[in-house]
Each structure stands twice: as C-alpha cells, then as structure tokens.
Amino acid sequence: MTELTQNPIAGSAAGDNTKKDHPLWSSRMAFILAASGSAVGLGNIWKFPYITGENGGGAFVLVYLLCIALIGIPIMIAEVMIGRRGGSSPINSMRQLAQRDGLSKRWIWIGGMGMLASFLILSFYSVIGGWALSYVGNSAGGLFVGSDTETIGAMFGNLLADPYTLLLWHSVFMVLVIMIVARGLSSGMEKAINILMPVLFALLLVMVGYAMSTDNFADGFKFLFQPDFSKLTTEGVLTALGHAFFTLSLGMGVMMAYGSYLPKNVSIVKTAVTVSVVDMVVALLAGLAIFPLVFANGLEAGAGPGLIFQTLPLAFGQMSGGVLFGTLFFILLVVAAVTSAISLLEPVVEWFEEQKGISRLTGTLIAGFCVWGLGILTVLSLNLWSDVHPLSMFERFAGKTFFDLFDYFTANLIMPLGGLLISLFVGWFMSKQAGENELSIGNKLAYKAFMFVLRFITPAAVMVVFIYNLA
C-alpha cells in the first residue's frame, strides 16, 4: 500500500467534511514502529529512569508493568479501534461513530480534548527536545570532560536562563518535526520512522552494552528488577499508574490518528500488545543503560528531573570514552523526542487536512507555527517570565508558570479524563457488534475478559489517579 491507498470508511458518515481518500500504513510493522516511536519518547529515556530512582526501583517497576497491562493496553486498544472505525482525525472519528450508533454529538469532545492535549504537550515538549539538541553539541565539544557538579549545574542553569538560545533550539526542533510531518504518511512519517526507530534501538543497545562493561552493571540490574516493597509508597503506586498512561501516548488523540491509518486486515489487539511490550522494553533498557553509570560514579539514583541533564553529564565527563558515549546518548534522546513529536503534531494536521481547501503542507505549517508560538511561553517561563503566574488567584495554581500549567492540565486533567471517557465510550456506549468486528478476537471468553477490564477495572484505576491529582 502507498500514500494513495484509500480507507473506504473515511467520509462515509452523512454530513461530515472528511476526505474520502485516506492513506494507510504500508504494513503492520510500519504501524508498530510509528506507534512505538510515539510511545518511546522522553517519557521512557528521561522520565522513567528518574521516577524509578525516586520511588525505590524494582517494586515501582513491577507496579508500572502491571499498570501497563491493566490500563495502558486496554485504552490503547480502544483508541486505535475508534481511529480505525472512524477513519479520520480524532474529532471527526468520534463524530462519525456517535452518528452511526445514534449517540450524542457531545462525544466529539473526546477527540477535541485529545487534540488539545497533543497541541499543548508538543509546545513544551519541543523546548525540552531543544535541550537535548543543545547537549549533543555540548557533549561532542568535550564540555563535560573533567567538569564537576557545580560546573555541570551552571551549564544547565545558563541554558535555561538564556531565552535566545532556548528559542533557537526550540525552533530547530520544530522545523525538523514540521519537515517530516509535511511530507505526509508514507513519504514523511513512515519513512522517517523506518530510519529513526532502528537508529534509536541501535543506540540504546550500544549504551546498554557499555553499561554492561562497567563494574556496577549488576547493581543497576538489581535496582531495577529486585523488588523492595518497603520503598514503595502510595504516591509511588499512583506515579506508576500515571506514567503508564503517559508513556503510551494515551488520551492525546495520537493513537486515534495513527489508528485511522491502520489497514482493516491488521489485528488491533496483537498490534497494541506489541507496541506496549516494545515501550516497556525500551524503558527497561534505558534504566539498564543509565543506572549502572549512576552507581559507577557514586551518584544519586533519585536525583529527580535533573538526572539526564545534570547527573549523567557529570558521569560522562568522568568516564573513559565519555565524549563518544555522551554524544550518542543525547542523539538517542533527540531521536526519541522527534519520533514522539511527529505523532503529537499529526492529530491536528490530520484535522486541518480534512477541511476544504487546506493541503497537508498548509495544515502542517499552520499547526506547526501555532505550536512553535505557544512554545515561546514555555521558553520565557524558564527565565524572563519565571515570576509570571497567570492563575495565581487560585490557590491550587499559585506559583505555577505557563510551562507548569501546560504540564499540569495535560498530565493531570485532560489526558486522564480523555482516557476515562474513551474506556466508557467503547465499554458501555459504542455498538457491541462494531467492537467485536473491529477487534476480531474470535475467542468469546477473551473478548468478555477484555470488555470487563475496559468497563470496570480501567475506569476505576483512572478515576483513582484523576481524583488523587485533583485532591
């Protein structure tokens, strides 16, 4: 299949404005790589290691894996199913499915919230991707060699304090993303993913191989895989639950958009499980690559968000071959960020492309420029506007900058609410026959088990996270 392959269900609902010619992924593997690229981002390589370090290691990892199985996979299956059945952008897919099943038009808010989340997340995600781009040059230039904690900390602090440098790298990152997405499904995203994902896996394996050569690899392995439940707190369990949701790109409209390009003969269940397994493996490999270096250099595993940009550069600066492996690591971080970023831009671009008279190039430029512009608020939040707190009249948001608010609303409100509504829509409202036809599980007992999890366990778990975040 090529870019001209048509999805026969796109545009089939009366009165919608979607295009009838809808491209499809060329193969199941293309979708797996793309969805894995979306899931495998900064969340796996930047966030997972530091939250694992903060929450005691192995016990946290075990809870995280259980959350992926009970929450992540069912919601991913539901999102992809909605996307493929609707064959359009998240908003138009929800509109069509609601029309077909005689449901309220208000269900389109699920698609709208997802697109809003992806738009907001990309605006600050691009800034963090710019940090990684900056650090590639820093490492390659040998700036970490022989540096102490104070020097490394000052380097990161100086980067955040300079709005012009941040804006430059934010702009470079967004240009890369826009160039890929503007070329379309097969010529742009699929081609880029086919190159970037193997590069990401190769770089990650090189880093793990290097970690295995250190004397502290066994310590890192033990930290990740030997549970010590005395170190696991209630907050740690909820953090694992929330991260399982975030890392699979759920509630962002991404899996709906990518699912709309999925051919009918591809198993949604098998594909979603494969993507989830790839995501988990990459997170664990990232831990195996990072923690041995942390322990080998006598550093703190629970160093928090600065683990990647402050603690690891110190390790790279002190070890043999640190310039090479430090550069490779930050290239890995950039690749992971780009594969996620293109998936975050796609839902909005797909919606623009469905409007009359808007080409993909025009839609990408409009969406990309708006995201870039919104990202300037994050840039300024880190320096010139660090004391600007737009919602300080509310006690909950006191002290939060624009960057903090974007992160809070997406991670704590929009995404969990979107995931909850998705599970309720597919589990309780969408046509049962349509669900059976799309999933084609065959085994009735397995289908009933899936529906039970989606109807009861998944919503309950998401509600726990949602209520906890609002408390």
Side-chain angles (χ1 to χ4, degrees), residues 190-211:
E190 188 170 323
K191 185 174 290 186
I193 289 294
N194 287 339
I195 296 171
L196 293 176
M197 287 305 293
V199 169
L200 185 148
F201 289 126
L203 289 173
L204 190 54
L205 290 175
V206 168
M207 293 302 301
V208 172
Y210 179 81

Side-chain angles (χ1 to χ4, degrees), residues 298-309:
L299 303 173
E300 179 57 51
L307 181 67
I308 296 301
F309 292 102

